[in-house]
Amino acid sequence: MSAFKKSNIPVVTLKDMVVFPQGVQPLFIGTPKSIKALNVASSSENSEGKKEVLLVAKRKSSKQNPQAKDLFEIGTVATVLQLIRLPDETVKILVEGNSRARVLKLSDNQEYLSADIQLLETIPLSGDLNQELRKDLLDVFEVYASKNKKIPSELSGSLSGIDDVSRLIDTIASQLSLTIQMKQRVLETVDEKARYDYLHAILMEQVELLSVDKKVRGRVKRQMEKSQKEYYLNEQMKAIQKELGDIAEAP
């Protein structure tokens, strides 16, 4: 089999999640077939001594026993770094993404899913363009993070240490609250320039939405402050009028 193809890789199906290459991600797995796939992967190692699985997202999260048509065609080959069996019979794993892969054939032996896959090579950028796009992406993400309070302040600093724009794109995409379809598109786009264009457009749109939201929240706050001020003034006037009325009625 070609160096870019692998056979009988145990498959772990994911619900509402995409794991990207080069990222380290904790996962909780409860599906019996996926747990069995992890057991198989843990009992065997590849030629490099790694315990590998293919992580593939479900097209519909509600699908309990997914077949080929229920899964996206492209997933991530990942190494299982840690596996912990929990009391409720679920499994917590720590995985590290290795590479994008296309499913050529999905097999189901009733115990677990396995796949024949083709590893996907990305179409890299030239050195100068890589640095230019990296800087642009960091700049727009910094603006986005400054407007989004849900983004940890230390994240921008950790991203600045990533020199490769391909890895930077995947890392940022993993941190954003995107739909499964949007994250899957980032995963499936092997042309790094096209992937950059897509994520950059998403960030710019998010920045615009957050700016509008901030203006709306500011307007609402001002209106509430105005209404509150008017309420207190009205109450104060009523109190003064009552006081004047009491004085006028006094003998």
Side-chain angles (χ1 to χ4, degrees):
M1 187 165 264
S2 165
F4 294 106
K5 292 184 180 180
K6 295 187 177 186
S7 60
N8 298 319
I9 300 292
V11 173
V12 173
T13 58
L14 303 178
K15 177 181 177 181
D16 296 327
M17 179 175 287
V18 172
V19 173
F20 293 92
Q22 302 183 66
V24 175
Q25 179 79 45
L27 301 171
F28 289 91
I29 307 298
T31 309
K33 284 188 176 181
S34 289
I35 293 175
K36 178 62 177 178
L38 286 168
N39 292 338
V40 172
S42 296
S43 62
S44 60
E45 297 179 342
N46 64 12
S47 59
E48 299 173 343
K50 295 180 179 179
K51 300 172 182 178
E52 287 189 330
V53 292
L54 178 68
L55 305 173
V56 187
K58 294 189 236 181
R59 293 183 182 273
K60 289 186 178 180
S61 60
S62 59
K63 198 70 176 180
Q64 294 299 313
N65 189 25
Q67 303 302 309
K69 62 182 175 59
D70 305 312
L71 302 172
F72 286 102
E73 294 178 5
I74 293 176
T76 301
V77 177
T79 300
V80 180
L81 302 176
Q82 185 182 58
L83 188 151
I84 301 173
R85 303 183 192 282
L86 303 176
D88 61 357
E89 297 186 353
T90 61
V91 171
K92 179 183 179 182
I93 59 174
L94 188 67
V95 295
E96 180 178 16
N98 297 330
S99 59
R100 291 165 164 79
R102 182 186 303 279
V103 176
L104 302 176
K105 178 184 176 183
L106 188 74
S107 301
D108 185 354
N109 66 5
Q110 301 307 310
E111 290 190 5
Y112 67 98
L113 299 176
S114 62
D116 294 345
I117 62 173
Q118 179 181 16
L119 302 181
L120 300 178
E121 290 186 282
T122 57
I123 303 173
L125 302 167
S126 66
D128 290 343
L129 186 57
N130 180 86
Q131 289 307 310
E132 179 185 339
L133 298 187
R134 172 185 170 276
K135 183 180 182 305
D136 286 347
L137 201 55
L138 286 173
D139 287 346
V140 71
F141 182 80
E142 190 171 340
V143 174
Y144 166 77
S146 69
K147 295 178 179 294
N148 190 338
K149 295 180 179 179
K150 295 180 181 180
I151 300 295
S153 57
E154 64 272 12
L155 181 58
S156 293
S158 64
L159 290 175
S160 64
I162 300 176
D163 292 328
D164 178 47
V165 73
S166 179
R167 182 182 176 190
L168 180 62
I169 293 167
D170 289 346
T171 304
I172 290 176
S174 70
Q175 298 295 323
L176 300 180
S177 297
L178 306 178
T179 65
I180 188 71
Q181 289 80 11
M182 294 169 78
K183 287 197 174 187
Q184 188 66 30
R185 179 171 169 180
V186 174
L187 180 69
E188 293 180 2
T189 305
V190 294
D191 185 304
E192 291 180 8
K193 178 62 167 62
R195 190 159 13 122
Y196 161 84
D197 289 339
Y198 180 60
L199 187 65
H200 190 274
I202 289 174
L203 283 171
M204 291 299 290
E205 182 180 7
Q206 290 295 316
V207 167
E208 187 173 345
L209 288 173
L210 288 169
S211 297
V212 171
D213 181 55
K214 187 175 181 180
K215 289 178 183 178
V216 170
R217 282 187 283 113
R219 191 158 57 242
V220 169
K221 182 181 179 182
R222 288 193 297 273
Q223 185 61 43
M224 288 178 66
E225 289 173 347
K226 180 181 178 182
S227 298
Q228 192 175 40
K229 189 174 182 180
E230 289 176 349
Y231 171 79
Y232 284 126
L233 285 173
N234 287 334
E235 290 299 308
Q236 193 174 26
M237 286 299 297
K238 287 179 183 178
I240 292 172
Q241 288 171 355
K242 185 177 185 303
E243 186 70 22
L244 290 174
D246 290 343
I247 293 173
E249 292 175 3

